[in-house]
PDB file of all heavy atoms in Angstrom:
ATOM      1  N   ARG Z 319      11.007   5.801   6.100  1.00 90.00           N
ATOM      2  CA  ARG Z 319      10.609   7.001   6.830  1.00 90.00           C
ATOM      3  C   ARG Z 319       9.229   6.791   7.436  1.00 90.00           C
ATOM      4  O   ARG Z 319       8.394   6.070   6.887  1.00 90.00           O
ATOM      5  CB  ARG Z 319      10.556   8.214   5.889  1.00 90.00           C
ATOM      6  CG  ARG Z 319      11.857   8.557   5.206  1.00 90.00           C
ATOM      7  CD  ARG Z 319      12.762   9.349   6.103  1.00 90.00           C
ATOM      8  NE  ARG Z 319      12.257  10.669   6.411  1.00 90.00           N
ATOM      9  CZ  ARG Z 319      12.963  11.790   6.357  1.00 90.00           C
ATOM     10  NH1 ARG Z 319      14.233  11.741   5.999  1.00 90.00           N
ATOM     11  NH2 ARG Z 319      12.429  12.956   6.679  1.00 90.00           N
ATOM     12  N   THR Z 320       8.992   7.437   8.564  1.00 85.00           N
ATOM     13  CA  THR Z 320       7.670   7.367   9.190  1.00 85.00           C
ATOM     14  C   THR Z 320       6.903   8.683   9.049  1.00 85.00           C
ATOM     15  O   THR Z 320       5.730   8.745   9.396  1.00 85.00           O
ATOM     16  CB  THR Z 320       7.805   7.028  10.683  1.00 85.00           C
ATOM     17  OG1 THR Z 320       8.634   8.001  11.320  1.00 85.00           O
ATOM     18  CG2 THR Z 320       8.413   5.633  10.865  1.00 85.00           C
ATOM     19  N   ASP Z 321       7.559   9.717   8.512  1.00 93.00           N
ATOM     20  CA  ASP Z 321       6.921  11.041   8.384  1.00 93.00           C
ATOM     21  C   ASP Z 321       6.371  11.248   6.971  1.00 93.00           C
ATOM     22  O   ASP Z 321       6.640  12.258   6.317  1.00 93.00           O
ATOM     23  CB  ASP Z 321       7.911  12.146   8.742  1.00 93.00           C
ATOM     24  CG  ASP Z 321       9.198  12.095   7.926  1.00 93.00           C
ATOM     25  OD1 ASP Z 321       9.498  11.031   7.337  1.00 93.00           O
ATOM     26  OD2 ASP Z 321       9.912  13.114   7.879  1.00 93.00           O
ATOM     27  N   ILE Z 322       5.568  10.280   6.504  1.00 93.00           N
ATOM     28  CA  ILE Z 322       5.082  10.315   5.128  1.00 93.00           C
ATOM     29  C   ILE Z 322       4.193  11.530   4.868  1.00 93.00           C
ATOM     30  O   ILE Z 322       4.291  12.164   3.813  1.00 93.00           O
ATOM     31  CB  ILE Z 322       4.328   9.014   4.781  1.00 93.00           C
ATOM     32  CG1 ILE Z 322       5.251   7.799   4.968  1.00 93.00           C
ATOM     33  CG2 ILE Z 322       3.801   9.061   3.355  1.00 93.00           C
ATOM     34  CD1 ILE Z 322       6.502   7.833   4.121  1.00 93.00           C
ATOM     35  N   ARG Z 323       3.326  11.880   5.831  1.00 95.00           N
ATOM     36  CA  ARG Z 323       2.473  13.052   5.638  1.00 95.00           C
ATOM     37  C   ARG Z 323       3.314  14.307   5.416  1.00 95.00           C
ATOM     38  O   ARG Z 323       3.024  15.118   4.513  1.00 95.00           O
ATOM     39  CB  ARG Z 323       1.559  13.247   6.847  1.00 95.00           C
ATOM     40  CG  ARG Z 323       0.612  14.440   6.686  1.00 95.00           C
ATOM     41  CD  ARG Z 323      -0.208  14.661   7.942  1.00 95.00           C
ATOM     42  NE  ARG Z 323       0.613  15.165   9.027  1.00 95.00           N
ATOM     43  CZ  ARG Z 323       0.316  15.026  10.316  1.00 95.00           C
ATOM     44  NH1 ARG Z 323      -0.759  14.343  10.673  1.00 95.00           N
ATOM     45  NH2 ARG Z 323       1.092  15.523  11.241  1.00 95.00           N
ATOM     46  N   ALA Z 324       4.351  14.474   6.208  1.00 97.00           N
ATOM     47  CA  ALA Z 324       5.204  15.652   6.072  1.00 97.00           C
ATOM     48  C   ALA Z 324       5.916  15.656   4.719  1.00 97.00           C
ATOM     49  O   ALA Z 324       6.024  16.701   4.059  1.00 97.00           O
ATOM     50  CB  ALA Z 324       6.229  15.691   7.209  1.00 97.00           C
ATOM     51  N   LEU Z 325       6.392  14.496   4.297  1.00 98.00           N
ATOM     52  CA  LEU Z 325       7.087  14.400   3.010  1.00 98.00           C
ATOM     53  C   LEU Z 325       6.143  14.705   1.853  1.00 98.00           C
ATOM     54  O   LEU Z 325       6.517  15.406   0.900  1.00 98.00           O
ATOM     55  CB  LEU Z 325       7.693  13.007   2.851  1.00 98.00           C
ATOM     56  CG  LEU Z 325       8.917  12.727   3.728  1.00 98.00           C
ATOM     57  CD1 LEU Z 325       9.203  11.233   3.803  1.00 98.00           C
ATOM     58  CD2 LEU Z 325      10.142  13.472   3.185  1.00 98.00           C
ATOM     59  N   LEU Z 326       4.911  14.186   1.921  1.00 98.00           N
ATOM     60  CA  LEU Z 326       3.939  14.482   0.868  1.00 98.00           C
ATOM     61  C   LEU Z 326       3.558  15.959   0.881  1.00 98.00           C
ATOM     62  O   LEU Z 326       3.333  16.559  -0.184  1.00 98.00           O
ATOM     63  CB  LEU Z 326       2.692  13.615   1.050  1.00 98.00           C
ATOM     64  CG  LEU Z 326       2.865  12.125   0.712  1.00 98.00           C
ATOM     65  CD1 LEU Z 326       1.656  11.323   1.194  1.00 98.00           C
ATOM     66  CD2 LEU Z 326       3.074  11.926  -0.785  1.00 98.00           C
ATOM     67  N   SER Z 327       3.525  16.559   2.059  1.00 98.00           N
ATOM     68  CA  SER Z 327       3.223  17.991   2.164  1.00 98.00           C
ATOM     69  C   SER Z 327       4.367  18.831   1.611  1.00 98.00           C
ATOM     70  O   SER Z 327       4.151  19.977   1.191  1.00 98.00           O
ATOM     71  CB  SER Z 327       2.959  18.367   3.626  1.00 98.00           C
ATOM     72  OG  SER Z 327       1.821  17.693   4.133  1.00 98.00           O
ATOM     73  N   ALA Z 328       5.571  18.276   1.607  1.00 97.00           N
ATOM     74  CA  ALA Z 328       6.736  18.998   1.106  1.00 97.00           C
ATOM     75  C   ALA Z 328       6.857  18.928  -0.411  1.00 97.00           C
ATOM     76  O   ALA Z 328       7.506  19.774  -1.034  1.00 97.00           O
ATOM     77  CB  ALA Z 328       8.008  18.432   1.742  1.00 97.00           C
ATOM     78  N   ALA Z 329       6.244  17.914  -1.006  1.00 98.00           N
ATOM     79  CA  ALA Z 329       6.435  17.656  -2.434  1.00 98.00           C
ATOM     80  C   ALA Z 329       5.430  18.409  -3.290  1.00 98.00           C
ATOM     81  O   ALA Z 329       4.292  18.663  -2.877  1.00 98.00           O
ATOM     82  CB  ALA Z 329       6.320  16.160  -2.703  1.00 98.00           C
ATOM     83  N   ASN Z 330       5.850  18.734  -4.496  1.00 97.00           N
ATOM     84  CA  ASN Z 330       4.944  19.313  -5.486  1.00 97.00           C
ATOM     85  C   ASN Z 330       4.175  18.240  -6.232  1.00 97.00           C
ATOM     86  O   ASN Z 330       3.010  18.432  -6.595  1.00 97.00           O
ATOM     87  CB  ASN Z 330       5.728  20.162  -6.492  1.00 97.00           C
ATOM     88  CG  ASN Z 330       6.465  21.304  -5.839  1.00 97.00           C
ATOM     89  OD1 ASN Z 330       7.638  21.175  -5.489  1.00 97.00           O
ATOM     90  ND2 ASN Z 330       5.778  22.423  -5.647  1.00 97.00           N
ATOM     91  N   VAL Z 331       4.847  17.111  -6.471  1.00 98.00           N
ATOM     92  CA  VAL Z 331       4.237  16.029  -7.253  1.00 98.00           C
ATOM     93  C   VAL Z 331       4.604  14.687  -6.639  1.00 98.00           C
ATOM     94  O   VAL Z 331       5.769  14.460  -6.273  1.00 98.00           O
ATOM     95  CB  VAL Z 331       4.720  16.059  -8.730  1.00 98.00           C
ATOM     96  CG1 VAL Z 331       4.098  14.907  -9.525  1.00 98.00           C
ATOM     97  CG2 VAL Z 331       4.379  17.389  -9.386  1.00 98.00           C
ATOM     98  N   PHE Z 332       3.612  13.792  -6.525  1.00 98.00           N
ATOM     99  CA  PHE Z 332       3.875  12.401  -6.189  1.00 98.00           C
ATOM    100  C   PHE Z 332       3.867  11.591  -7.475  1.00 98.00           C
ATOM    101  O   PHE Z 332       2.951  11.718  -8.299  1.00 98.00           O
ATOM    102  CB  PHE Z 332       2.827  11.844  -5.239  1.00 98.00           C
ATOM    103  CG  PHE Z 332       2.913  10.338  -5.105  1.00 98.00           C
ATOM    104  CD1 PHE Z 332       3.902   9.763  -4.330  1.00 98.00           C
ATOM    105  CD2 PHE Z 332       2.046   9.512  -5.800  1.00 98.00           C
ATOM    106  CE1 PHE Z 332       4.026   8.380  -4.249  1.00 98.00           C
ATOM    107  CE2 PHE Z 332       2.145   8.131  -5.716  1.00 98.00           C
ATOM    108  CZ  PHE Z 332       3.137   7.568  -4.937  1.00 98.00           C
ATOM    109  N   ALA Z 333       4.892  10.739  -7.658  1.00 98.00           N
ATOM    110  CA  ALA Z 333       5.002   9.920  -8.857  1.00 98.00           C
ATOM    111  C   ALA Z 333       4.902   8.438  -8.504  1.00 98.00           C
ATOM    112  O   ALA Z 333       5.651   7.944  -7.663  1.00 98.00           O
ATOM    113  CB  ALA Z 333       6.329  10.197  -9.565  1.00 98.00           C
ATOM    114  N   LEU Z 334       3.971   7.747  -9.152  1.00 98.00           N
ATOM    115  CA  LEU Z 334       3.877   6.292  -9.056  1.00 98.00           C
ATOM    116  C   LEU Z 334       4.335   5.729 -10.391  1.00 98.00           C
ATOM    117  O   LEU Z 334       3.746   6.017 -11.431  1.00 98.00           O
ATOM    118  CB  LEU Z 334       2.438   5.841  -8.780  1.00 98.00           C
ATOM    119  CG  LEU Z 334       2.293   4.322  -8.614  1.00 98.00           C
ATOM    120  CD1 LEU Z 334       2.528   3.931  -7.160  1.00 98.00           C
ATOM    121  CD2 LEU Z 334       0.910   3.841  -9.050  1.00 98.00           C
ATOM    122  N   SER Z 335       5.389   4.912 -10.364  1.00 97.00           N
ATOM    123  CA  SER Z 335       5.971   4.386 -11.603  1.00 97.00           C
ATOM    124  C   SER Z 335       5.752   2.891 -11.774  1.00 97.00           C
ATOM    125  O   SER Z 335       6.267   2.293 -12.718  1.00 97.00           O
ATOM    126  CB  SER Z 335       7.477   4.685 -11.632  1.00 97.00           C
ATOM    127  OG  SER Z 335       8.121   4.213 -10.453  1.00 97.00           O
ATOM    128  N   SER Z 336       4.993   2.250 -10.899  1.00 96.00           N
ATOM    129  CA  SER Z 336       4.826   0.797 -10.882  1.00 96.00           C
ATOM    130  C   SER Z 336       4.255   0.274 -12.197  1.00 96.00           C
ATOM    131  O   SER Z 336       3.493   0.955 -12.882  1.00 96.00           O
ATOM    132  CB  SER Z 336       3.883   0.385  -9.750  1.00 96.00           C
ATOM    133  OG  SER Z 336       4.318   0.874  -8.512  1.00 96.00           O
ATOM    134  N   TYR Z 337       4.599  -0.996 -12.515  1.00 93.00           N
ATOM    135  CA  TYR Z 337       3.948  -1.649 -13.648  1.00 93.00           C
ATOM    136  C   TYR Z 337       2.883  -2.635 -13.194  1.00 93.00           C
ATOM    137  O   TYR Z 337       2.111  -3.136 -14.008  1.00 93.00           O
ATOM    138  CB  TYR Z 337       4.956  -2.318 -14.592  1.00 93.00           C
ATOM    139  CG  TYR Z 337       5.779  -3.433 -14.011  1.00 93.00           C
ATOM    140  CD1 TYR Z 337       5.238  -4.707 -13.824  1.00 93.00           C
ATOM    141  CD2 TYR Z 337       7.117  -3.249 -13.690  1.00 93.00           C
ATOM    142  CE1 TYR Z 337       5.998  -5.743 -13.304  1.00 93.00           C
ATOM    143  CE2 TYR Z 337       7.886  -4.278 -13.176  1.00 93.00           C
ATOM    144  CZ  TYR Z 337       7.319  -5.524 -12.990  1.00 93.00           C
ATOM    145  OH  TYR Z 337       8.079  -6.552 -12.482  1.00 93.00           O
TER     146      TYR Z 337
END
Side-chain angles (χ1 to χ4, degrees):
R319 300 279 293 227
T320 57
D321 55 341
I322 301 301
R323 182 184 71 204
L325 287 164
L326 288 169
S327 297
N330 300 93
V331 179
F332 168 77
L334 182 88
S335 53
S336 305
Y337 63 77

